[in-house]
Amino acid sequence: HALTRRGMGVAWALKEGMKREGLSEEEARARVLVLDSKGLLVEGRSMEAYKQPYAQRRERIAGWEFAGSYPNLLKTIRNARATVLLGLSGQGGSFTEPVARAMMENTPRPVIFPLSNPTSASEALPDDLIYWTEGRALVAAGSPFPPVGYMGRTIPIGQGNNAFIFPGLGLGAVLARAREVTDGMVLEAAYALYDYTQGHFPEFLYPPVSRLREVSPYVAARVMQRALEEGVAEEERVKGLSFKGLMEFVRSRFWEPKYLPYRPAPVI
């Protein structure tokens, strides 16, 4: 599978999120297993410099059963007993039925996100993943997909798209006049999206795209709050504001598109 720098950014966010939840750097690193076209990233293997921080220690795979020089995706899932699988490879169809079923052996509710887009690059189709895992997998995709019907249930497929994060992150940074966009601000935007979804759509993995204009101000206010905590916000008018005050500040400056009425010109 191709491994993009975007994929490494996701690996960083996962690691930092685990550290925020209490794990050490080493503990978090051991739980984020990254693969490229040659298999699992392992120290001592030839790879580009940007991949090296996410290469596993050799002792991490001691005792694993696999063929070839390095574990492939299926062997990594089975040996590491992975419970979350994220696809950022751009390789359509790379999450096969054996891969999905291997995830089910590790947890009753596997998380499987084929996040590559467009649709043709999706690592798997959501309806396949739902059927292969007997309706048990938590599935979101990078492209929009319709709900999946399974055994009398209608399962919504969330769109795991950075459009839920970047508008609010950028707006918050601009309104706070932040000297820099810190790692903490980026991570705060992700936590803000999670908290918004839990509060408004607890049965969903992501909010509907139609609610993006509600999500973005919330993310922006949380980003501003973090910028203030980290001392990088230079906008004097937001200093000392509560979160409610930050929300009001954002909403008062949120752009509303309005279009003037028009009439077609007569055909001459």
Side-chain angles (χ1 to χ4, degrees), residues 77 82-85 98-108 110-112:
I77 290 170
T83 58
V84 177
L85 176 60
V99 164
R101 293 194 177 277
M103 292 290 293
M104 272 215 309
E105 295 172 6
N106 301 334
T107 176
V111 174
I112 307 178

Side-chain angles (χ1 to χ4, degrees), residues 70 77 96 100 110 126 134 202-203 209 214 220-221 253 266:
Y70 302 98
I77 290 170
T96 61
E134 301 169 7
E203 72 281 15
V209 174
E214 295 177 25
R253 289 156 178 80

Side-chain angles (χ1 to χ4, degrees), residues 2-242:
L3 180 62
T4 63
R5 292 181 185 272
R6 171 175 170 246
M8 301 313 298
V10 172
W12 169 86
L14 288 169
K15 179 172 66 71
E16 293 302 309
M18 291 180 185
K19 288 166 59 178
R20 176 164 164 165
E21 297 300 321
L23 295 186
S24 67
E25 172 79 21
E26 195 66 24
E27 289 170 334
R29 176 176 169 174
R31 286 166 170 77
V32 181
L33 298 105
V34 183
L35 293 89
D36 64 7
S37 59
K38 299 175 185 176
L40 182 67
L41 300 186
V42 179
E43 285 184 339
R45 210 203 77 181
S46 62
M47 68 187 79
E48 294 87 339
Y50 71 89
K51 299 178 183 178
Q52 291 174 357
Y54 297 92
Q56 293 294 314
R57 313 287 188 203
R58 285 205 165 267
E59 55 268 25
R60 176 73 171 86
I61 65 171
W64 283 21
E65 295 181 4
F66 58 90
S69 301
Y70 302 98
N72 62 16
L73 178 59
L74 184 59
K75 292 297 184 180
T76 298
I77 290 170
R78 285 178 173 162
N79 284 282
R81 299 196 60 78
T83 58
V84 177
L85 176 60
L86 306 181
L88 299 120
S89 66
Q91 304 300 304
S94 54
F95 290 177
T96 61
E97 183 173 356
V99 164
R101 293 194 177 277
M103 292 290 293
M104 272 215 309
E105 295 172 6
N106 301 334
T107 176
R109 292 284 275 165
V111 174
I112 307 178
F113 287 5
L115 294 175
S116 293
N117 49 38
T119 305
S120 59
S122 182
E123 286 80 5
L125 297 177
D127 55 348
D128 284 337
L129 293 173
I130 295 297
Y131 277 80
W132 291 339
T133 61
E134 301 169 7
R136 288 155 51 187
L138 300 172
V139 179
S143 298
F145 283 94
V148 176
Y150 181 79
M151 301 290 286
R153 298 162 53 202
T154 299
I155 303 172
I157 304 299
Q159 187 175 355
N161 194 293
N162 54 23
F164 285 113
I165 293 295
F166 285 166
L169 176 60
L171 180 62
V174 169
L175 292 183
R177 296 182 60 217
R179 292 192 304 275
E180 60 178 307
V181 177
T182 66
D183 289 347
M185 291 163 65
V186 175
L187 199 60
E188 190 64 32
Y191 272 86
L193 176 61
Y194 168 79
D195 291 339
Y196 178 90
T197 307
Q198 286 294 297
H200 295 80
F201 300 96
E203 72 281 15
F204 285 25
L205 295 173
Y206 286 87
V209 174
S210 62
R211 303 297 284 270
L212 182 58
R213 290 184 62 80
E214 295 177 25
V215 175
S216 293
Y218 181 79
V219 172
R222 288 276 294 268
V223 167
M224 293 173 69
Q225 191 174 48
R226 186 60 182 261
L228 288 164
E229 291 170 359
E230 295 187 0
V232 297
E234 296 186 341
E235 174 55 71
E236 293 295 333
R237 289 173 295 177
V238 303
K239 293 180 179 180
L241 289 181
S242 65

